[in-house]
Amino acid sequence: MKKIGVLFGMENTFPGALVERINSMNLDGISAEFVQIGGIHLDKLPTYSVIVDRISHDIPFYRAFLKHAVLNGTVVINNPFWWSADDKFFNYSLAAKLGVAVPPTVVLPHKHYPEGTTERSMRNLEYPLDWDSIFDYVDFPSFLKPVDGGGWRDVHHVHNREEFFRAYDQSRDLCMTLQRAVKFNEYFRCYVVGQEKVHIMPYDPRQPHAQRYVLNPPEYDKKLLKRVEKDALTLCKALGYDLNTVEFAVEDGVPYAIDFMNPAPDADLHSVGQKNFNWIVGAVADLAVKNAKLAPKVPELRWSAFLNAGAKPAKKAPAKKRAPKKKAAEVSQT
């Protein structure tokens, strides 16, 4: 029997619905359940063929368990090795290299020294920073946000230097990015599953959390939606994420990728709504079953493998010309 496990924390609606959906398929040799683990023995193989991870970003014990599981053939959605290394500034750099539009962005040094460091740890750091250059490049209004944050924690909307420095002074020892705000007319949040399926959801981040998904959206330009879908797939394939949300703010018809490091995206029924909830439960169930049929599967655990999807294929060398065949009379003379 191949088991699909769901690893989760405070969520109430999605994990149970996912397990129920998979088990309702009545597939021979495949079942789903909530993950149950204790102390992890080094020499004990995991019992799950697939694990859908919703919580290891908050619990280091779970992240260590998942890496051990991947090493021994479990397919984990999403890959904990890449997730551990990812950050938002790298995402923006990668997007720019792939031709996906992103706003001007700068990563900033910590306002306060990280724990265990002093000013001597920062001897390679330019001081004072060239704030004029930074502000000229990014411009205002802009957003100050953590390089590896989520859930709108420690995010500040700043409109001038004074507001920026007040916000920066509150950033503690977090590494922050400053990014130009997009004056958007349309905004989309996209579920991307299996690097194949995209579900575009009209979204308004200016609204209270429970009202951000637009229930009765207007009709959008089909070319715009096509580009949003294409860019969302491009990013997730390059990053290697099988479950993610990609957010686009659209200004003057250009979709700017704003946030796409969400490997455990919100899938709660009460916030995303019934229609979106049904889609994500069904898509993740199908993906988990597909991977269960392939398990055990040990990926290539090298950093280059995680980024190959975003690399351009090498040009083939031109074929060497073959020497012309000798005529029969020439052959007879040798």
Side-chain angles (χ1 to χ4, degrees):
M1 175 68 72
K2 291 188 173 183
K3 290 195 296 184
I4 298 171
V6 181
L7 185 66
F8 65 102
M10 293 183 284
E11 289 182 286
N12 289 320
T13 57
F14 178 71
L18 181 59
V19 168
E20 184 178 341
R21 177 64 175 266
I22 294 170
N23 288 334
S24 71
M25 296 178 181
N26 296 315
L27 299 169
D28 288 339
I30 295 178
S31 66
E33 66 182 38
F34 297 150
V35 170
Q36 289 289 310
I37 52 171
I40 311 302
H41 294 205
L42 189 63
D43 60 351
K44 189 174 181 180
L45 297 179
T47 60
Y48 296 98
S49 298
V50 175
I51 295 175
V52 179
D53 173 24
R54 305 286 297 165
I55 189 61
S56 75
H57 55 290
D58 285 336
I59 312 293
F61 166 68
Y62 288 154
R63 183 59 59 89
F65 157 65
L66 291 174
K67 289 179 179 178
H68 172 73
V70 168
L71 192 63
N72 287 284
T74 299
V75 177
V76 177
I77 304 169
N78 283 291
N79 188 312
F81 286 93
W82 177 242
W83 193 352
S84 298
D86 200 11
D87 68 68
K88 290 180 183 292
F89 189 70
F90 172 79
N91 283 2
Y92 298 132
S93 300
L94 180 62
K97 247 185 150 24
L98 294 171
V100 176
V102 289
T105 307
V106 171
V107 65
L108 299 170
H110 311 264
K111 172 62 181 178
H112 297 294
Y113 303 136
E115 186 177 356
T117 66
T118 70
E119 62 181 8
R120 295 189 65 196
S121 307
M122 304 297 171
R123 286 184 286 182
N124 294 103
L125 183 63
E126 175 185 274
Y127 186 84
L129 289 180
D130 186 353
W131 289 111
D132 288 337
S133 171
I134 292 170
F135 296 146
D136 287 345
Y137 171 62
V138 175
D139 205 358
F140 293 107
S142 55
F143 283 94
L144 181 69
K145 52 188 176 180
V147 75
D148 58 357
W152 289 84
R153 291 188 298 271
D154 295 295
V155 175
H156 303 269
H157 192 191
V158 294
H159 298 81
N160 51 52
R161 287 171 174 251
E162 291 72 25
E163 289 186 9
F164 166 79
F165 284 116
R166 278 200 298 272
Y168 189 49
D169 287 345
Q170 299 173 42
S171 64
R172 307 182 301 282
D173 62 352
L174 297 173
C175 181
M176 306 293 284
T177 60
L178 184 66
Q179 183 175 80
R180 182 185 299 171
V182 176
K183 300 177 182 68
F184 62 88
N185 299 312
E186 302 92 6
Y187 196 104
F188 302 107
R189 195 165 204 253
C190 308
Y191 279 131
V192 185
V193 177
Q195 301 175 30
E196 294 178 348
K197 298 178 181 179
V198 179
H199 181 62
I200 300 175
M201 301 173 286
Y203 190 78
D204 189 347
R206 298 166 296 195
Q207 299 299 320
H209 187 75
Q211 301 170 25
R212 289 181 180 175
Y213 292 91
V214 181
L215 298 179
N216 297 300
E219 191 168 337
Y220 298 106
D221 184 340
K222 290 182 180 178
K223 288 184 179 179
L224 172 62
L225 296 179
K226 201 75 176 174
R227 179 171 173 182
V228 165
E229 179 180 353
K230 174 180 172 291
D231 286 355
L233 286 172
T234 296
L235 291 169
C236 290
K237 286 177 180 177
L239 290 167
Y241 285 136
D242 283 315
L243 174 58
N244 197 5
T245 50
V246 182
E247 295 184 16
F248 294 94
V250 184
E251 182 178 345
D252 296 330
V254 178
Y256 290 90
I258 298 298
D259 185 13
F260 41 102
M261 196 182 93
N262 300 295
D266 178 20
D268 182 72
L269 169 63
H270 304 296
S271 63
V272 305
Q274 190 70 58
K275 181 181 177 182
N276 297 327
F277 181 76
N278 291 345
W279 189 93
I280 192 63
V281 169
V284 175
D286 290 343
L287 177 65
V289 167
K290 176 183 175 181
N291 278 288
K293 292 176 178 178
L294 298 174
K297 181 181 178 183
V298 180
E300 183 182 355
L301 298 176
R302 294 185 177 90
W303 296 119
S304 60
F306 296 131
L307 294 172
N308 277 347
K312 293 182 179 179
K315 291 182 178 179
K316 290 184 178 179
K320 292 182 179 179
K321 292 183 178 180
R322 295 182 179 179
K325 291 182 178 179
K326 293 182 179 180
K327 295 178 182 178
E330 294 174 332
V331 173
S332 65
Q333 291 174 3
T334 59

